[in-house]
Amino acid sequence: MTDAAAVQSVSVIGLGLMGSALARAFLAAGHNVTVWNRSAEKCQPLVQAGASAAASVEAAVEGSDVIAVCVLDYDSSDALLHTPEVEAALKGKILVQFTTGTPRQARDTESWAQLKGIHYLDAAIMAYPKSIGAPDCTILVSGPELIFAEHRALLGSLGGNVIFVGDPICMACTLETSLLSFYYAAALGFLQGAALCEAEGVEVNDFHSIAMELLPGIGDTIKVSTEMIQKGSYDGAEAAVTTHAAAIAHILQLTREAGVTPDLAECLSGLFEKTVSAGLGGRELPAVFESFRKRSIERTPIE
Ligand code: NAP
């Protein structure tokens, strides 16, 4: 299999919201698509759109060179794939795992795949189903680079921003989880702000407009944080951790006075208190990184 453009058959196992979107995007790109889902009725819309329905997981695997799996979790995926019949059918084929998992699960799957003679790529979808196939849809892929390169055209059917992130199989899901950590913290911060605005009679639309103007500032904080983490130094002259801690205390006070749930503000306050207690109160905001870090990693102490 050396010509990526020649790979025209793909099976999609799992037709939930995301798996169905993947199958539709493969169909839209002109590929031959075979589908299987535990609840067989979800195959019907895809069959009407041109896919073939397989009667079993084994038949779905036999139907194509590339097998895309997108089910709830790795336990569900393992239960489907770890049978002698399916393993035999997968031998020599390309398994692309779109199911969300952890680095350990990706490594375990890699060991299993190597044992069974299966080529394995791990993919992390950074988009909602509505964006699959769109130019700005980002999907991270890790695993053997040669296998990715051979199937870049097929995977490119799923979005304009399919990125190979590295050979270690855990790369895609580690980056995915880290990006989701950033996404959820930012989204919940916005929602807490919206609740504060509502409690004080400020229109959420006004809050949104100004928040959008501040987005470049968040980008700058991320850039500076990256530089400081790399240098291992949080010295600066913008605002000390103690100053940020006072701002957080103010947010906490307002949530309590306004009757808004203080859970997020309490969590932020705890992290800043921990950073101050570690003797980093005079450093810049990125010093809070020290409160998150894995303790067992050897590092030079901050002077
Ligand atoms: P979903 O709509 O809830 O679909 C779940 C799929 O998993 C269905 O096909 C379901 O089959 C199948 N499934 C569940 N348990 C199973 C089992 N024990 N055996 C066999 N099949 C089983 O979820 P989704 O949104 O498609 O998400 C699927 C994966 O994509 C997840 O890992 C999710 O984290 C990831 N993802 C989703 C999004 C998103 O925005 N939706 C974005 C990025 C990544 P039935 O139809 O028979 O129930």
Side-chain angles (χ1 to χ4, degrees):
M1 215 178 289
T2 52
D3 180 6
V7 180
Q8 297 290 312
S9 71
V10 56
S11 292
V12 180
I13 293 174
L15 297 176
L17 295 171
M18 186 52 85
S20 294
L22 299 178
R24 273 194 209 96
F26 284 132
L27 283 168
H31 299 294
N32 294 323
V33 180
T34 299
V35 292
W36 180 89
N37 192 63
R38 178 179 63 176
S39 312
E41 68 273 11
K42 288 188 186 165
C43 294
Q44 280 318 307
L46 278 311
V47 169
Q48 280 165 10
S52 305
S56 65
V57 175
E58 185 186 350
V61 171
E62 282 169 349
S64 303
D65 298 323
V66 177
I67 318 302
V69 178
C70 189
V71 292
L72 180 66
D73 53 25
Y74 269 66
D75 286 345
S76 309
S77 171
D78 289 351
L80 297 175
L81 304 182
H82 293 200
T83 72
E85 299 76 21
V86 174
E87 287 170 346
L90 275 169
K91 190 166 183 180
K93 297 198 172 183
I94 318 297
L95 171 65
V96 190
Q97 183 58 272
F98 289 94
T99 305
T100 302
T102 65
R104 182 187 56 75
Q105 287 172 321
R107 284 191 287 267
D108 287 350
T109 302
E110 181 180 53
S111 302
W112 164 81
Q114 281 170 354
L115 198 66
K116 304 296 175 184
I118 302 161
H119 304 290
Y120 168 47
L121 292 172
D122 195 57
I125 303 168
M126 307 308 305
Y128 287 114
K130 66 181 178 186
S131 297
I132 298 300
D136 62 349
C137 171
T138 296
I139 299 179
L140 312 178
V141 184
S142 53
E145 188 165 10
L146 189 62
I147 298 292
F148 172 77
E150 287 173 353
H151 299 85
R152 181 188 286 274
L154 179 72
L155 295 173
S157 316
L158 302 177
N161 200 25
V162 176
I163 308 169
F164 180 72
V165 290
D167 191 84
I169 200 72
C170 62
M171 288 288 283
C173 64
T174 301
L175 284 167
E176 174 191 33
T177 311
S178 303
L179 288 163
L180 286 177
S181 144
F182 172 42
Y183 170 78
Y184 285 122
L188 291 190
F190 178 83
L191 296 177
Q192 175 184 261
L196 287 172
C197 285
E198 182 187 62
E200 292 294 333
V202 176
E203 288 292 329
V204 68
N205 215 30
D206 292 337
F207 173 51
H208 167 257
S209 301
I210 299 171
M212 292 305 283
E213 286 174 23
L214 292 180
L215 280 183
I218 295 172
D220 184 59
T221 298
I222 292 166
K223 180 171 172 287
V224 170
S225 296
T226 305
E227 290 164 359
M228 288 188 169
I229 289 167
Q230 285 174 322
K231 275 198 293 189
S233 164
Y234 307 106
D235 291 337
E238 299 298 336
V241 166
T242 47
T243 306
H244 290 290
I248 300 285
H250 179 70
I251 297 171
L252 191 52
Q253 184 186 352
L254 179 52
T255 57
R256 286 174 177 154
E257 287 174 5
V260 165
T261 300
D263 298 27
L264 181 59
E266 284 171 355
C267 171
L268 295 174
S269 176
L271 285 162
F272 275 90
E273 277 171 20
K274 196 172 166 185
T275 309
V276 172
S277 300
L280 299 172
R283 307 304 164 97
E284 295 285 306
L285 184 148
V288 179
F289 177 65
E290 294 298 321
S291 297
F292 281 113
R293 290 180 96 173
K294 182 175 172 178
R295 291 293 97 200
S296 61
I297 292 175
E298 288 287 327
R299 63 179 68 95
T300 314
I302 310 263
E303 298 284 311

